[in-house]
Amino acid sequence: QVQLVQSGAEVRKPGASVKVSCKASGYSFITYGITWVRQAPGQGLEWMGWISTYNGNTKYAQKFQGRVSMTADTSTSTAYLELRSLRSDDTAIYYCARDDVAEDDWGLGTLVTVSS
Amino acid sequence: DIQMTQSPSSLSASVGDRVTITCRASQSINNYLNWYQQKPGKAPKLLIYVASSLHSGVPSRFSGSGSGTDFTLTISSLQPEDFATYYCQQSFNIPRTFGQGTKVEIK
C-alpha cells in the first residue's frame, strides 16, 4: 500500500533553516508529484508547493518564494522540503502528500517548532 | 490567488442527520474541486475529487456536486466517525488554495 513516511519533529531558532523528508513506498515514485501542505496550530491547511518527482520541476506558493526549496531523490524515493529564514509563525505541522488529481495519500506530518 | 470560502464554519448535528457543506470559489474553477476530512491530530484524508468523484474506500454516504464557483459536500446520514473538520480545495491553478474548514460537531 502507499506509504509516505516523514522525518521526526524539529526545533529551530528564528532565522535558521529546516529540512523535512518524506520517503515514499508502495508505488512508482516518479509517476506522481509530491505536494507540501502545512498547518499552524489550531489553523487550517495551507498549500506550500509541488514538485514533479519525474523531472524536478517545482511550483511554489508566492508566499514562500525565495525561502523554500523542494527536491526529490529518485534513488531513495524521498522528497524533501527545506524552509529557510524561519520565523515563529512558521511553527506548524508540515505534511507531504502524493499528488494525483488531488492529494490522495498523506504522510503523518512533521512538527516544526520555531522558538528562541 | 483563488479564494475558497466555506460555509458554515461550524455546525452541530446528530447521528443520522443529513449534512450539507458549501464551498464557493472567487472565480470559476470548472470542476477542479476536492474535499478532505481531517480528524484531530491526524492527517487529512481525501474524500471527493473533481467535484463529485468518490475516492477509493470512502463510504457512499459522502457525495459532492457543483461546478463553476459553487460546490457542495453532502453526508446523507451522519455517522459517529464523521465528526471532523472538512476542507475544500481548488486544483484549477497554482496555488491550490483550501477553504478555511467546516467543523462538524456532535449535537
Side-chain angles (χ1 to χ4, degrees), chain B residues 37 47-48 54-63 74-76 79 81-82:
Chain B
Q37 177 195 66
L47 297 175
I48 303 280
L54 201 65
H55 183 52
S56 175
V58 175
S60 59
R61 63 181 178 272
F62 290 93
S63 63
T74 300
I75 309 172
S76 60
Q79 298 302 300
E81 60 268 31
D82 301 336

Side-chain angles (χ1 to χ4, degrees), chain A residues 19-64:
Chain A
K19 194 169 186 177
V20 176
S21 67
C22 170
K23 184 172 176 60
S25 62
Y27 71 98
S28 173
F29 183 65
I30 61 172
T31 302
Y32 300 89
I34 293 287
T35 291
W36 290 91
V37 173
R38 76 177 186 179
Q39 186 170 38
Q43 302 301 307
L45 303 172
E46 181 174 31
W47 188 90
M48 298 183 69
W50 167 91
I51 181 168
S52 165
T53 53
Y54 177 73
N55 59 17
N57 285 349
T58 54
K59 298 182 188 294
Y60 301 140
Q62 181 69 30
K63 174 178 181 177
F64 301 103

Side-chain angles (χ1 to χ4, degrees), chain A residues 38 46-50 58-68 70 83 87, chain B residues 1-3 93-97:
Chain A
R38 76 177 186 179
E46 181 174 31
W47 188 90
M48 298 183 69
W50 167 91
T58 54
K59 298 182 188 294
Y60 301 140
Q62 181 69 30
K63 174 178 181 177
F64 301 103
Q65 288 277 3
R67 232 172 31 105
V68 69
M70 296 177 188
L83 191 60
R87 307 184 288 254
Chain B
D1 297 0
I2 297 175
Q3 306 302 313
N93 67 9
I94 300 298
R96 291 189 173 186
T97 40

